[in-house]
Amino acid sequence: MRRDRSGRRVAANSGVVVVTCIAHASCPKYWQRIEAERMPTAKKVKKLTRAEAEAIFARFHEIEPEPKGELDYINAFTLLVAVVLSAQATDTGVNKATKRLFELAPSPAAMVALGVEQITELIKTIGLYRGKAKNVYALSQMLLDRHGGEVPADRAALEALPGVGRKTANVVLNIYFRQPTIAVDTHLFRVGNRTGLAPGKTPLEVEQALTRQVPERFMLHAHHWLILHGRYICKARKPECWRCPIAQWCRFEPKTPLPVGK
């Protein structure tokens, strides 16, 4: 038995694939594997002190006091849909697909009226679009049936919706309802472990560690600062340490040097 590049077990010379949880995003091993593959080193780092964590967020605040998410939305419902569609897709790609979708269906009732087939057609440029279209339709119907067409400001109620997990719920609660939640995606998972800010084996462990580490006055924007830092500076394959504003506190070694010619 061997494993293919996706982490699935493959019976030697048989072509038979036995899918295991290692390739699924809900499995802790999935997160460990993708970061071990994408990070220059998978070396475990020492956790930062509270004082160091506060210095990092004070620096983020100094650079950008009011960070914003990059998904386009009109209201709580369209934000929820955009976040559901953003799984394993770029914000830019989602924004291109949702421009027309949100013009036609800015509410749960309008989305249900579109139907699964039309939703599918409108978002077909996004990865996993067929399953996402079904979830968008189903969550829209559930919002009508259970919440009067309104997006609930409650994590448990949000997680009960089709296609909505803890990360998606936290994003909506943070961005739209201004609750101090932290949504851990691959960027936050990487930054938390790589820097020593919030080491953890699973997204929930990293979220809980960040909740303890982030000073209360910075909690509302912590998610945005970290995701933007991971997306544009602390990149997966080659972090741009030479221009990192928090390099002096980061535990990651060896720091990536300035590329020749820059």
Side-chain angles (χ1 to χ4, degrees):
M1 189 73 70
R2 62 182 177 80
R3 293 189 185 278
D4 67 8
R5 293 185 65 182
S6 70
R8 298 178 301 181
R9 290 188 300 153
V10 181
N13 302 319
S14 70
V16 176
V17 176
V18 182
V19 179
T20 66
C21 67
I22 195 169
H24 195 278
S26 64
C27 175
K29 290 184 179 180
Y30 167 85
W31 292 82
Q32 297 170 35
R33 178 179 62 79
I34 60 173
E35 292 309 319
E37 290 177 352
R38 298 169 69 186
M39 289 169 61
T41 68
K43 180 180 178 182
K44 186 175 181 180
V45 298
K46 184 179 178 181
K47 185 177 180 180
L48 296 176
T49 65
R50 283 295 301 276
E52 290 170 322
E54 180 154 8
I56 283 175
F57 287 101
R59 181 70 177 122
F60 284 146
H61 180 269
E62 178 185 351
I63 297 169
E64 181 56 75
E66 294 286 332
K68 303 295 182 185
E70 296 182 322
L71 286 172
D72 294 337
Y73 64 96
I74 302 168
N75 49 34
F77 171 69
T78 53
L79 173 61
L80 174 62
V81 172
V83 180
V84 168
L85 296 180
S86 70
Q88 298 185 50
T90 66
D91 287 358
T92 300
V94 172
N95 290 339
K96 288 180 180 178
T98 57
K99 186 177 187 301
R100 182 57 176 161
L101 177 68
F102 293 162
E103 288 175 354
L104 295 172
S107 68
M111 193 68 74
V112 169
L114 278 184
V116 175
E117 288 188 11
Q118 193 167 355
I119 296 171
T120 302
E121 181 64 23
L122 289 166
I123 67 168
K124 65 182 181 181
T125 57
I126 302 175
L128 308 176
Y129 68 95
R130 294 186 188 281
K132 290 178 180 179
K134 293 177 182 178
N135 282 334
V136 168
Y137 178 86
L139 73 83
S140 299
Q141 186 65 64
M142 190 174 290
L143 287 174
L144 292 171
D145 294 341
R146 298 186 182 181
H147 304 285
E150 299 295 324
V151 175
D154 175 78
R155 181 187 285 112
L158 285 169
E159 288 188 40
L161 298 171
V164 179
R166 186 178 182 88
K167 186 201 79 171
T168 296
N170 280 343
V171 172
V172 174
L173 292 173
N174 180 268
I175 294 177
Y176 196 84
F177 295 106
R178 307 284 289 180
Q179 295 185 21
T181 58
I182 295 177
V184 178
D185 64 357
T186 55
H187 294 301
L188 270 78
F189 187 77
R190 176 174 67 255
V191 173
N193 279 284
R194 179 184 276 171
T195 62
L197 184 61
K201 295 180 179 179
T202 67
L204 183 58
E205 286 185 12
V206 171
E207 178 187 333
Q208 292 171 337
L210 283 170
T211 300
R212 294 189 295 269
Q213 283 281 65
V214 180
E216 185 176 354
R217 64 193 177 103
F218 296 131
M219 185 66 77
L220 180 62
H221 295 310
H223 161 76
H224 283 118
W225 283 321
L226 292 172
I227 193 172
L228 293 173
H229 184 68
R231 183 174 292 167
Y232 297 112
I233 296 179
C234 196
K235 300 176 181 178
R237 294 188 181 280
K238 184 176 288 187
E240 298 180 1
C241 303
W242 69 88
R243 68 183 189 92
C244 176
I246 63 167
Q248 68 189 91
W249 301 288
C250 174
R251 296 274 198 258
F252 176 73
E253 295 293 346
K255 298 286 193 294
T256 308
L258 178 70
V260 177
K262 286 200 174 183

